[in-house]
Amino acid sequence: LSMLARSKGSEYLIRTLQPLLKKIIQNRDFFEIEKLKPEDLDAERQIELFVKYMNELLESISNSVSYFPPPLFYICQNIYKVACEKFPDHAIIAAGSFVFLRFFCPALVSPDSENIIDISHLSEKRTFISLAKVIQNIANGSENFSRWPALCSQKDFLKECSDRIFRFLAELCRTDRTIDIQVRTDP
């Protein structure tokens, strides 16, 4: 699935992620959430940057449904349908595991390997990793943010992020969407 997502979704990832990642680098707005403690001197600024760019990232992702690759819609629909049969309460999360764990997050963690942007400093990469870790945690349906103590003050924002991610996933999984692609069904 990862390889298929890369081959069918490369242009989509560039269009969706590149403007934001370039903006972060150009503005030198680097932050570290994982090791940040609320009492750190720079915590407030780091949290503000995280909130700003997580919001922009989710905005970019949410606004990308109109050009989401049809083969990936097909995969999301089928993951959702199959998961509904055995785990109906977790079907959206199953599709989210594909969309975020296998598609968006690898692109965020290594945008240079996805030909989205070139990374020249570790500080740039740490910022993208922070976004990927939090977004993956949310997409997995987890509400436990204890590994990020600095984000304790952001529970309402993180709940809003969760709502946005699951609305996006629900849109990708819509089973009433007709997808016009060739699918091989032979063994």
Side-chain angles (χ1 to χ4, degrees):
L1 284 179
S2 294
M3 289 175 22
L4 179 68
R6 275 179 102 173
S7 70
K8 300 297 182 184
S10 179
E11 290 177 27
Y12 166 84
L13 286 174
I14 291 168
R15 182 175 175 184
T16 304
L17 299 178
Q18 189 179 65
L20 176 66
L21 301 184
K22 278 185 173 181
K23 179 180 177 181
I24 292 170
I25 291 172
Q26 287 170 349
N27 292 344
R28 303 193 54 73
D29 282 342
F30 308 127
F31 53 87
E32 168 74 52
I33 292 300
E34 196 163 13
K35 297 175 184 174
L36 189 66
K37 294 180 177 63
E39 62 273 7
D40 289 348
L41 293 176
D42 200 26
E44 188 175 325
R45 180 183 166 282
Q46 300 256 346
I47 292 168
E48 284 176 12
L49 287 172
F50 166 79
V51 167
K52 173 184 176 180
Y53 287 113
M54 178 61 83
N55 193 40
E56 289 186 28
L57 174 62
L58 292 179
E59 188 72 21
S60 182
I61 290 171
S62 297
N63 291 336
S64 71
V65 173
S66 65
Y67 57 91
F68 194 77
L72 303 187
F73 272 127
Y74 181 80
I75 291 170
C76 290
Q77 283 179 339
N78 282 286
I79 290 172
Y80 177 78
K81 287 178 194 174
V82 171
C84 273
E85 293 173 11
K86 291 196 177 214
F87 311 103
D89 295 339
H90 300 287
I92 294 279
I93 291 172
S97 292
F98 162 66
V99 171
F100 287 98
L101 181 65
R102 301 284 177 228
F103 189 50
F104 277 113
C105 289
L108 285 169
V109 169
S110 297
D112 44 348
S113 69
E114 301 292 331
N115 297 317
I116 298 171
I117 57 164
D118 290 326
I119 300 285
S120 56
H121 301 323
L122 183 59
S123 57
E124 297 167 357
K125 193 167 189 128
R126 290 296 312 154
T127 294
F128 303 151
I129 289 171
S130 289
L131 290 169
K133 283 184 175 183
V134 174
I135 207 168
Q136 182 62 52
N137 197 62
I138 293 170
N140 284 339
S142 175
E143 294 181 9
N144 180 6
F145 295 97
S146 60
R147 73 174 111 175
W148 300 292
L151 294 182
C152 287
S153 65
Q154 297 300 315
K155 286 183 181 175
D156 291 341
F157 173 71
L158 294 170
K159 173 66 174 122
E160 178 188 319
C161 290
S162 178
D163 293 346
R164 292 168 76 182
I165 287 170
F166 282 94
R167 278 193 304 271
F168 172 74
L169 291 171
E171 183 64 27
L172 298 185
C173 295
R174 275 189 24 223
T175 56
D176 63 338
R177 176 179 278 112
T178 303
I179 301 167
D180 188 22
I181 60 171
Q182 291 283 330
V183 179
R184 288 183 56 186
T185 56
D186 59 27

